[in-house]
Amino acid sequence: MSDGWEESAQAWIASQGDSGDFGRQWVMDAPMLARVRRGRFRRALDVGCGEGRFCRMLKAEGVEAVGIDPAPALIDHARAMDPGGDYRVEAAEALGFADGSFDLVVSYLSLIDIPDAGAAIAEMARVLAPGGTLLIANLAGYNSAADANELGWATLVDGRRAHAMDHYLEEKVGWIAWKGIRIQNWHRPLSTYMTLLLEQGLRLTHFDEPRAHGGDPMRQTHYNRAPWFMLMEWTKP
């Protein structure tokens, strides 16, 4: 059964434009690039690269970037935007690279789209060189456990706005739809991700829950009332 990405590819590309959506442009891009610049990496793999936007950003930082995604329409667009780039149709759970091929592996809001996170994380660790970095941006667990189509927010009887979630400890998959996009998202508690990463022998070296740092002030409020995303940096010994 389709996860919706191929059918939603054109709507997704239109929603991202050149700069990305609000959460990427004004919340996550700056802290992600700050970690990239700090590491002075040579060769990166972007797992779930989509339309290739972050690969292009990595290349602008002087990092040789390879992007993989299972949606052919997204890879086609990535290649069109970056004709000299290396973009491949591949699933995260079975990467076609030798052990230790990259000193940086990136998962930029892609773990929520991957059915078998355990296999994907094992593959990311496998292709990461000793001393290399796995850089992960993901939805906060309270966020992915909410009703995604309502963005988790509800109005209480006294008029206050509150963020509601349920069944946080259960791994589950659901459909989310917006702007002509309809895709599957996976919720997993943070403990699941932490366990899978620790089982690979990786060491947590950085953790952040970034705030919005620009853009429309009204939209900033949406992202700053509670941490919408998390950023993790793991190192392979």
Side-chain angles (χ1 to χ4, degrees), residues 96-226:
F97 304 96
D99 296 0
S101 295
F102 302 92
D103 58 354
L104 173 64
V105 175
V106 175
S107 172
Y108 193 156
L109 298 179
S110 62
L111 280 172
I112 54 173
D113 302 315
I114 296 172
D116 191 341
I121 287 171
E123 280 290 272
M124 294 181 208
R126 180 185 65 78
V127 302
L128 190 61
T133 293
L134 173 56
L135 185 61
I136 296 172
N138 204 30
L139 286 181
Y142 86 90
N143 181 353
S144 58
D147 180 348
N149 291 293
E150 297 297 331
L151 297 178
W153 292 101
T155 302
L156 304 181
V157 293
D158 61 4
R160 288 180 299 158
R161 294 284 285 169
H163 196 276
M165 66 174 182
D166 200 5
H167 301 294
Y168 172 86
L169 293 174
E170 299 175 12
E171 183 171 326
K172 56 188 177 181
V173 64
W175 289 92
I176 178 171
W178 79 104
K179 293 185 177 180
I181 303 160
R182 184 175 182 271
I183 56 172
Q184 284 187 332
N185 266 190
W186 288 83
H187 163 74
R188 302 174 180 96
L190 179 58
S191 58
T192 295
Y193 289 116
M194 297 294 283
T195 298
L196 292 172
L197 290 156
L198 290 168
E199 285 177 348
Q200 297 301 316
L202 302 173
R203 182 169 61 90
L204 181 64
T205 51
H206 180 75
F207 184 90
D208 192 12
E209 295 168 308
R211 298 173 59 90
H213 57 274
D216 181 354
M218 293 296 293
R219 298 199 69 186
Q220 284 187 41
T221 299
H222 171 73
Y223 287 90
N224 290 344
R225 291 186 68 180

Side-chain angles (χ1 to χ4, degrees), residues 58-71:
L58 288 169
K59 292 178 72 173
E61 296 293 327
V63 181
E64 178 189 349
V66 179
I68 68 104
D69 198 281

Side-chain angles (χ1 to χ4, degrees), residues 3-140:
D3 61 6
W5 272 108
E6 185 69 8
E7 297 84 351
S8 299
Q10 297 310 313
W12 173 261
I13 290 164
S15 77
Q16 294 301 299
D18 293 331
S19 301
D21 56 22
F22 188 95
R24 287 168 173 78
Q25 182 179 6
W26 297 111
V27 185
M28 293 306 300
D29 280 353
M32 289 286 283
L33 288 174
R35 304 312 298 179
V36 170
R37 290 165 184 155
R38 184 176 180 272
R40 299 181 180 178
F41 301 105
R42 299 180 303 279
R43 189 168 191 247
L45 175 66
D46 186 355
V47 176
C49 70
E51 79 292 354
R53 190 186 68 96
F54 198 65
C55 276
R56 297 191 294 274
M57 295 174 74
L58 288 169
K59 292 178 72 173
E61 296 293 327
V63 181
E64 178 189 349
V66 179
I68 68 104
D69 198 281
L74 292 176
I75 290 297
D76 286 346
H77 184 79
R79 289 169 175 164
M81 293 293 293
D82 180 16
D86 188 348
Y87 299 96
R88 311 181 189 190
V89 178
E90 287 190 14
E93 297 94 332
L95 298 174
F97 304 96
D99 296 0
S101 295
F102 302 92
D103 58 354
L104 173 64
V105 175
V106 175
S107 172
Y108 193 156
L109 298 179
S110 62
L111 280 172
I112 54 173
D113 302 315
I114 296 172
D116 191 341
I121 287 171
E123 280 290 272
M124 294 181 208
R126 180 185 65 78
V127 302
L128 190 61
T133 293
L134 173 56
L135 185 61
I136 296 172
N138 204 30
L139 286 181

